[in-house]
Amino acid sequence: MELWFTERHTPNVKFSIKVDHQLYSGNSEFQRIDVFDSKEFGRFLTLDGYMMLTEKDEFIYHEMITHVPMSVHPAPKNILVIGAGDGGVVRELTRYPSVESIDLVEIDELVVEVCKKYLPTTACRFDDPRVNVFYEDGVKFIRRCNDQYDVIIVDSTDPFGPGEGLFTKEFYGSCFKALRDDGIMVNQHESPFYDEDAAAMQRSHKRIVESFPISKVYQAHIPTYPSGHWLFGFASKKYHPTNDYNGTKWSMLGIKTRYYNPRLHTGAFALPCYVEELLRDVE
Amino acid sequence: MELWFTERHTPNVKFSIKVDHQLYSGNSEFQRIDVFDSKEFGRFLTLDGYMMLTEKDEFIYHEMITHVPMSVHPAPKNILVIGAGDGGVVRELTRYPSVESIDLVEIDELVVEVCKKYLPTTACRFDDPRVNVFYEDGVKFIRRCNDQYDVIIVDSTDPFGPGEGLFTKEFYGSCFKALRDDGIMVNQHESPFYDEDAAAMQRSHKRIVESFPISKVYQAHIPTYPSGHWLFGFASKKYHPTNDYNGTKWSMLGIKTRYYNPRLHTGAFALPCYVEELLRDVE
């Protein structure tokens, strides 16, 4: 018997992982949730059939979405995380002694429960006393926030389904308002490679550029996401992601990473020409 | 009807492209050669069932394997290319007015013939008067070369089958001997992500480190290669790939690229921690 999980990266491209067995399948009010075990990637989580994370490469995504803003901000104390029910971003954030509070807003409580049970290597720091979990729509939650966060990390699904509202102008405006005067927002920014993904990325980027004075994009190699070439958006009120970056200071924190490092921090903002052009077209 | 090309990136991972129709299938003395047409990637070439290039993303590989060494060397005149029967490296090399000769050594004449016929966007500069094509084993060709090339580009297949000899210590030693005192050799260096690929990459890297005083590795996003995270080896007698790099000088050449640019040149040498560790283990 062979069991394969297959995701269509476009109507014409399939990526398939040989599955050992399925650990969980269920439906929440918001989406279908599945967890599989595999020889190549360890356990992996899908939402509505889309790959969210695998044990083998989740460190890349979670380190890059977390340590880039956390290393640029000189003293991040109060952090808001939207989405991220798998706990990976929280795990990385709790490594910073300077952090005083982590508010996690996840729309789907079942995602957190399933990850706590089946993905203990990512959902491992929810019991940190600094973490407060709110099961509610991030778009609504942030409307009532004012001038109170140093860093906001938007770890959303794709810009359709439950994650759709997290790619709107209204939402980015709320993030701006929720941040302090030197605050930073980072979001997962889709991929530049396939036409449909690139168009979604451009739409989202345009709205961020309109909402923040500093808006840059950085990249990482994430093999289980479509094309493996993944982007993150860095939006900021004051700090520039590379000019205001002090890698030595970050290194002195002694945080152990497997992907992120100070040289790579700067390198990740050096984008290919075709990606720069896609961004320039909407800036 | 649906027709799909599928490549196993590992025994447990499949990557599949919807094919419109097959343009060519044949067997040479060395390998099976196929060309397909597809909606997503345009035409693509496979050798023994392994993806070599697609019209959609070949620019990434060819720009990165060519412009990195060509921009570091201050005056590259005589170039040797091993493999590369598809013509992509030659196309990029002919953009440099300083280049006086390009010796291309391809073991398989049928690859060149098929690419000229079916992949005219890569196999488009074989008629440049500076290009000399030798249909012969690169390992044998280079044994008789001494102190005559400024840059050697090893655009090989994977380290098994016809490309196997291009990953040996003897071959790298011959490359060293064939280069002038300030020569640079670049090779495709496999991927760090899947265990078997990473092990091959380490073996090859070890041999290059033993053969050249300066040996660095850089990376690119190549969506149609396994994991999408691809490495290149930069081996050099004199020049350091980033310390001795003058991006402004390269920009003044006015070469139009879609992936490579001077900022990305430096950024591409900033590797993730786990890749640095793989390399350090054999250095």
Side-chain angles (χ1 to χ4, degrees), chain A residues 10 12-14 16 18 40 56 193-194 220-221 229 258-261 263-264 269-274, chain B residues 10 12-14 16 18 40 56 193-194 220-221 229 258-261 263-264 269 271-274:
Chain A
T10 82
N12 309 306
V13 181
K14 292 192 291 196
S16 307
K18 197 173 185 177
E40 194 68 51
K56 184 177 170 80
F193 187 69
Y194 295 117
H221 291 89
H229 188 176
R258 291 167 60 206
Y259 191 89
Y260 178 85
N261 61 58
R263 270 186 73 220
L264 183 133
F269 285 89
L271 304 174
C273 303
Y274 85 97
Chain B
T10 84
N12 308 304
V13 180
K14 292 192 291 197
S16 307
K18 197 173 185 176
E40 195 68 49
K56 186 177 168 79
F193 187 70
Y194 295 117
H221 290 89
H229 189 174
R258 289 167 61 204
Y259 191 89
Y260 177 85
N261 61 59
R263 271 186 71 219
L264 185 134
F269 284 91
L271 303 175
C273 302
Y274 86 96

Side-chain angles (χ1 to χ4, degrees), chain B residues 211-232:
Chain B
S211 307
F212 282 83
I214 297 168
S215 175
K216 303 291 173 188
V217 169
Y218 62 101
Q219 63 193 353
H221 290 89
I222 304 183
T224 54
Y225 283 179
S227 88
H229 189 174
W230 213 255
L231 302 180
F232 299 90

Side-chain angles (χ1 to χ4, degrees), chain A residues 101-150:
Chain A
S101 71
I102 302 166
D103 292 344
L104 176 84
V105 184
E106 165 61 57
I107 201 167
D108 194 343
E109 186 166 0
L110 189 57
V111 170
V112 176
E113 282 172 21
V114 168
C115 291
K116 278 182 178 171
K117 186 161 180 190
Y118 296 104
L119 293 164
T121 54
T122 53
C124 56
R125 291 285 179 275
F126 282 114
D127 58 354
D128 187 293
R130 297 170 292 178
V131 176
N132 313 294
V133 182
F134 301 86
Y135 294 113
E136 105 174 64
D137 182 353
V139 177
K140 287 181 188 157
F141 180 94
I142 203 164
R143 276 191 200 129
R144 54 178 195 268
C145 300
N146 282 296
D147 191 27
Q148 68 194 81
Y149 292 111
D150 301 307

Side-chain angles (χ1 to χ4, degrees), chain A residues 52-109:
Chain A
M52 292 296 119
L53 67 86
T54 82
E55 286 184 328
K56 184 177 170 80
D57 71 346
E58 59 83 11
F59 70 100
I60 303 171
Y61 180 89
H62 290 128
E63 290 185 11
M64 289 301 280
I65 203 169
T66 305
H67 298 307
V68 170
M70 291 297 285
S71 62
V72 173
H73 195 290
K77 286 181 183 147
N78 306 108
I79 320 295
L80 173 64
V81 185
I82 303 210
D86 55 65
V89 171
V90 165
R91 179 191 65 202
E92 296 304 314
L93 284 171
T94 57
R95 295 184 168 157
Y96 289 82
S98 73
V99 167
E100 293 173 1
S101 71
I102 302 166
D103 292 344
L104 176 84
V105 184
E106 165 61 57
I107 201 167
D108 194 343
E109 186 166 0

